Amino acid sequence: MTIEAAASRLHCSKSTIYSLASSREHLVRSAVISFFKAGAECVEAKLQDETNPANSLALYLRAVGDELRLASPAFINDVATFPP
């Protein structure tokens, strides 16, 4: 997606988007970090009351799967192929 398309979809200007990040790469990096940080917070919240280690592991794996299911296959592929 181009910055112009993103701006149109978000009903804002390109300058508004660039105020969040100095380049397309920084914007993508920020979005990916935000996605995984929010997912990690949801996983942690689901685990906070579990005290049994075996149940914690099972719950953790299910919660991670639930969070990753929110990402499209294209997003996962883009993250996998994005150079550091």
Side-chain angles (χ1 to χ4, degrees):
M1 174 181 290
T2 65
I3 295 297
E4 187 172 334
S8 176
R9 185 174 179 181
L10 296 169
H11 305 288
C12 67
S13 68
K14 289 192 302 184
S15 61
T16 298
I17 290 178
Y18 279 118
S19 72
L20 302 171
S22 60
S23 69
R24 185 174 194 269
E25 289 75 18
H26 280 152
L27 187 62
V28 169
R29 184 176 181 276
S30 294
V32 170
I33 288 169
S34 178
F35 173 80
F36 284 107
K37 184 176 181 179
E41 290 171 358
C42 288
V43 169
E44 291 295 324
K46 291 177 182 178
L47 290 173
Q48 75 182 44
D49 294 330
E50 183 57 62
T51 58
N52 179 290
N55 291 346
S56 290
L57 179 59
L59 183 58
Y60 174 81
L61 293 173
R62 277 194 307 273
V64 167
D66 290 346
E67 292 304 313
L68 288 176
R69 238 186 263 42
L70 299 173
S72 70
F75 174 84
I76 298 296
N77 186 53
D78 287 346
V79 169
T81 59
F82 190 77

